[in-house]
Amino acid sequence: MSEIVPLHLARPGDLLTQLHVGPVTRLDLALFYGASADHNPVHVDIDYARARGRPDVIAHGMLSAAYLGRMLHRLAPPGSIQKFSTRFLAVTDIGDELLCSAVLMQTEAGAGLAELALAVHKRSGVQTCSGRAVIRLPQI
Amino acid sequence: MIDRRFLGWEVPPHIVEVERQMVRNYAHAIGESDPLYFDEQVARRAGYRDLPLPPSFPFTLYLMDGKPSFWRVEQMGAVIGTGYHGEVEFHYHAVICAGDRIECRTRVSDISDRKNGQLTLITESTRFVNQHGQHVADMRNVFVVVNTPSP
């Protein structure tokens, strides 16, 4: 596992932070279903999921995006994130343990910005999300 | 199949009154524990007007129009259960806090096929404007419609 390097010392390719989440539970999906207004029954209704050929309910893509946002919050408080994007690559199942990570891509010292590559991986190694963020560098 | 006439469709805008408990419930649901998202005194001491929104929250503002979550793409011909969320991108211009009144204005900005028509990507662009007329955020959201079962 790579070592975490503080943002102000980091060079391109360095790991800035990680966030472990899970195992993802049905309760997590029920709480997010209510709180996020993302009302697709495939996230909470096993009968609905089975009728569509799935063995079980699956996690919201946006729950993983929210975990990436939680991780970003550690590097950049609200107001200092300029851009944040997530692509959904694979389904997250009940019981999955997720590892979110942020790697420095480049800094634009003049503009005071850093561009980060984001990812979510399952413990099995399968990548479920990729992403990008642009954050303002803290004034030190 | 997705009806191409929806390209450029301006969805009727809706307004969300952001309440503190919405922010707290969302923060709780994603396992966030920073008091910044729960205690308005902490938020004010940190320089915010009130509880700020977690970064992924604008997607929830976009959904909070009082209608079924996927009515837009269903109206365009998608069948929920045969599609999935492809991508989401946020651009933030100013902080949104509890107490704000946010107008969400969504437009279908692209409809395009992938993999020889097996997939259709619907891209929506949403503009968020607060009660002062300030343009606070933009979102680009991609929903993937599966037209034929994958081999």
Side-chain angles (χ1 to χ4, degrees):
Chain A
M1 187 157 294
S2 313
E3 206 162 306
I4 296 203
V5 181
L7 182 56
H8 66 282
L9 299 175
R11 306 205 319 199
D14 284 343
L15 179 66
L16 298 174
T17 187
Q18 285 184 319
L19 176 72
H20 286 267
V21 186
V24 172
T25 66
R26 294 171 201 284
L27 177 62
D28 293 334
L29 304 193
L31 287 173
F32 192 70
Y33 188 95
S36 73
D38 191 339
H39 294 169
N40 183 341
V42 77
H43 303 306
V44 291
D45 184 343
I46 194 168
D47 301 325
Y48 179 96
R50 284 183 178 154
R52 279 151 191 81
R54 291 193 178 279
D56 203 342
V57 298
I58 56 170
H60 301 72
M62 283 308 293
L63 181 59
S64 290
Y67 291 148
L68 284 175
R70 222 179 103 190
M71 176 186 66
L72 266 185
H73 174 65
R74 297 167 166 195
L75 296 172
S80 58
I81 304 174
Q82 282 202 338
K83 183 184 156 188
F84 166 38
S85 65
T86 308
R87 289 185 87 170
F88 305 104
L89 308 174
V91 161
T92 298
D93 296 301
I94 299 291
D96 278 343
E97 289 182 48
L98 302 175
L99 178 62
C100 305
S101 59
V103 169
L104 182 65
M105 295 176 71
Q106 56 173 333
T107 49
E108 289 179 50
L113 298 174
E115 187 175 5
L116 320 182
L118 313 177
V120 183
H121 287 87
K122 296 191 192 193
R123 209 187 183 108
S124 63
V126 170
Q127 185 172 358
T128 59
C129 296
S130 68
R132 288 276 185 280
V134 176
I135 62 173
R136 273 188 207 97
L137 293 166
Q139 305 295 316
I140 297 175
Chain B
M1 290 300 288
I2 300 306
D3 188 338
R4 294 298 199 269
R5 285 177 303 177
F6 283 98
L7 179 59
W9 179 32
E10 310 246 353
V11 179
H14 67 276
I15 288 174
V16 182
E17 294 179 4
V18 182
E19 295 161 10
R20 283 182 190 149
Q21 202 57 39
M22 280 162 48
V23 181
R24 294 187 189 113
N25 287 349
Y26 190 94
H28 174 66
I30 68 173
E32 178 61 70
S33 58
D34 190 330
L36 187 64
Y37 296 108
F38 295 90
D39 183 339
E40 61 272 19
Q41 300 305 328
V42 170
R44 288 196 180 124
R45 279 199 296 274
Y48 301 96
R49 285 170 284 117
D50 208 305
L51 304 181
L53 298 193
S56 53
F57 200 98
F59 186 83
T60 290
L61 297 178
Y62 143 89
L63 287 176
M64 286 184 156
D65 60 358
K67 296 180 185 160
S69 294
F70 301 98
W71 74 273
R72 300 171 182 83
V73 288
E74 284 184 318
Q75 186 136 338
M76 288 183 246
V79 179
I80 298 310
T82 63
Y84 56 93
H85 197 181
E87 194 177 336
V88 65
E89 179 174 311
F90 304 101
H91 289 257
Y92 312 96
H93 313 304
V95 177
I96 303 173
C97 289
D100 285 355
R101 207 167 161 273
I102 305 294
E103 185 195 58
C104 310
R105 207 172 264 276
T106 296
R107 177 177 171 272
V108 177
S109 50
D110 191 45
I111 300 176
S112 58
D113 286 342
R114 292 286 188 281
K115 298 194 178 179
N116 297 318
Q118 285 180 45
L119 305 177
T120 302
L121 273 56
I122 300 173
T123 304
E124 295 174 299
S125 299
T126 305
R127 184 183 162 92
F128 302 92
V129 175
N130 71 11
Q131 65 275 22
H132 306 298
Q134 187 181 13
H135 180 196
V136 288
D138 285 291
M139 182 178 80
R140 193 175 62 84
N141 186 55
V142 180
F143 189 80
V144 183
V145 179
V146 180
N147 294 313
T148 52
S150 42

